[in-house]
Amino acid sequence: MNLVVLQNWLDNASFAILFLTMLVYWGGAAFPNLPYLAALGTAGMAIANLCMATLLGARWIEAGYFPLSNLYESLFFLTWGITTVHLIAESSSRSRLVGVVTSPVAMLIAAFATMTLPSQMQASEPLVPALKSNWLMMHVSVMMLSYSALMVGALLAIAFLIVTRGQNIQLQGSSVGTGGYRSNGYRLHKAAELISQPTAPSAENNGFARFESSSNGNANTAVLNLVTTSEPQTVASAEPLSPQRLSLAETLDNISYRIIGLGFPLLTIGIIAGGVWANEAWGSYWSWDPKETWALITWLVFAAYLHARITRGWQGRSPAILASTGFVVVWICYLGVNLLGKGLHSYGWFF
């Protein structure tokens, strides 16, 4: 089969599969009693990932260089990276909500590359002199993988804010750095245990009261107690989140932190490799090009996120808002500066 025909078939197939996968994930969120939808969504993401990997491999064979020289190839590499990180995040979190937020973004990127870009921008062309270097694979691929990881981590942070309704809840787990642990006030205890009078729930405890056990019963039945205060709630007070929402929020917060922790070192390595390549190509490690400037801004935003979590003990809403801001910053760094103005990184793009 002609490689060009194969590529045209694969990019359309990738978009169609991602679109159907998005509907499957959304259907699974709307109808959680259909367990097969989760497996179907994972399979759709894996098939789309394989289609895009085959597409990029076919372009590599056809052009004779690593397929990251123009916007079309870059967008599909980014989408491939997002689906790859998605599969890792979903496998770690066991939550179908990961696909609810990542599948539409992957689908929209594939749709933009397939349907919006003109045909001349989709065709492989000879490399410009500055790109004829082994640094093309070493720098650009690492940067694109870092963008993929940071985008997925930011999307999960946005999902966290949606699940918690923007409330400032206390979390517990390995993702809170040196900060405090969530004190939800609810816990499983055995039915035979004598339970002391609970303290009144507070906003810190997410509306639940903590129980203290006064015996070591041996019964096997575990129950979950929830005590509400007798004081009337004010209109301004937020409704306590259910244990299911808290558990899901904790999972999203944890996996978002870990995915961003994966993307940040990749971004650091990519920036350093870009500086070395820039010195070889242009005689300067740093030129304050718009792309370089926004790469630095992106690095600072996610460095602040990790610093706040690891050393300052931030958890919950505040770092999630910071990560959500990083989603916009990554898009400006990746695409916005090439659409808004010229620079040393504008070759092979819109301008």
Side-chain angles (χ1 to χ4, degrees):
M1 180 184 294
N2 187 297
L3 288 178
V4 176
V5 176
L6 177 63
Q7 294 167 32
N8 292 335
W9 185 87
L10 287 172
D11 61 7
N12 285 282
S14 299
F15 161 71
I17 294 170
L18 287 171
F19 178 74
L20 294 176
T21 302
M22 178 190 71
L23 296 180
V24 168
Y25 275 116
W26 287 3
F31 304 100
N33 294 327
L34 302 176
Y36 64 88
L37 289 180
L40 194 60
T42 303
M45 274 290 190
I47 295 172
N49 181 277
L50 181 60
C51 286
M52 288 180 286
T54 306
L55 167 65
L56 294 171
R59 291 184 72 91
W60 194 348
I61 296 173
E62 178 199 6
Y65 55 81
F66 194 70
L68 272 176
S69 64
N70 59 27
L71 182 58
Y72 175 82
E73 296 168 349
S74 176
L75 287 169
F76 268 106
F77 192 90
L78 176 68
T79 311
W80 174 82
I82 289 175
T83 56
T84 301
V85 176
H86 160 88
L87 293 172
I88 296 173
E90 190 175 61
S91 175
S92 301
S93 65
R94 304 292 182 184
S95 173
R96 71 179 65 184
L97 191 60
V98 176
V100 173
V101 294
T102 57
S103 59
V105 174
M107 186 273 297
L108 289 174
I109 298 173
F112 178 69
T114 304
M115 302 178 180
T116 304
L117 294 181
S119 57
Q120 61 269 22
M121 294 190 65
Q122 299 184 18
S124 298
E125 296 181 354
L127 290 177
V128 296
L131 291 179
K132 293 180 180 179
S133 171
N134 292 330
W135 288 103
L136 173 64
M137 180 188 299
M138 299 174 65
H139 164 63
V140 183
S141 62
V142 173
M143 289 296 293
M144 298 304 299
L145 288 174
S146 72
Y147 292 159
S148 300
L150 294 176
M151 284 182 184
V152 172
L155 285 170
L156 294 176
I158 294 172
F160 169 85
L161 293 175
I162 295 173
V163 168
T164 60
R165 306 190 190 107
Q167 297 183 29
N168 191 20
I169 66 172
Q170 298 293 316
L171 295 173
Q172 175 178 319
S174 60
S175 68
V176 296
T178 57
Y181 291 95
R182 186 183 72 195
S183 175
N184 289 317
Y186 67 88
R187 71 179 183 89
L188 289 172
H189 61 85
K190 296 179 180 179
E193 289 181 335
L194 296 177
I195 308 301
S196 62
Q197 183 67 26
T199 58
S202 64
E204 295 184 336
N205 296 332
N206 305 320
F208 293 88
R210 178 172 293 280
F211 292 89
E212 298 295 338
S213 173
S214 58
S215 68
N216 295 323
N218 296 321
N220 294 325
T221 304
V223 295
L224 177 65
N225 280 57
L226 167 65
V227 173
T228 57
T229 180
S230 58
E231 298 178 2
Q233 292 185 347
T234 62
V235 177
S237 62
E239 180 183 354
L241 299 177
S242 66
Q244 292 80 9
R245 275 182 174 262
L246 288 171
S247 178
L248 179 57
E250 190 168 89
T251 299
L252 290 172
D253 178 81
N254 190 283
I255 197 66
S256 172
Y257 168 71
R258 294 175 185 276
I259 293 297
I260 290 175
L262 171 66
F264 182 76
L266 291 174
L267 179 65
T268 305
I269 295 171
I271 291 175
I272 294 173
V276 176
W277 188 13
N279 185 59
E280 289 186 4
W282 303 315
S284 173
Y285 288 99
W286 195 268
S287 305
W288 293 106
D289 178 73
K291 177 76 77 172
E292 296 173 349
T293 303
W294 277 97
L296 178 61
I297 294 173
T298 304
W299 189 90
L300 291 173
V301 168
F302 286 101
Y305 169 88
L306 293 174
H307 172 74
R309 297 202 65 141
I310 296 173
T311 65
R312 303 297 298 173
W314 284 21
Q315 48 80 46
R317 180 178 64 183
S318 297
I321 293 174
L322 186 58
S324 303
T325 304
F327 181 76
V328 179
V329 174
V330 169
W331 271 109
I332 295 175
C333 176
Y334 167 62
L335 195 59
V337 293
N338 298 103
L339 297 175
L340 299 177
K342 292 186 177 181
L344 295 174
H345 291 77
S346 294
Y347 43 74
W349 302 77
F350 276 110
F351 296 97

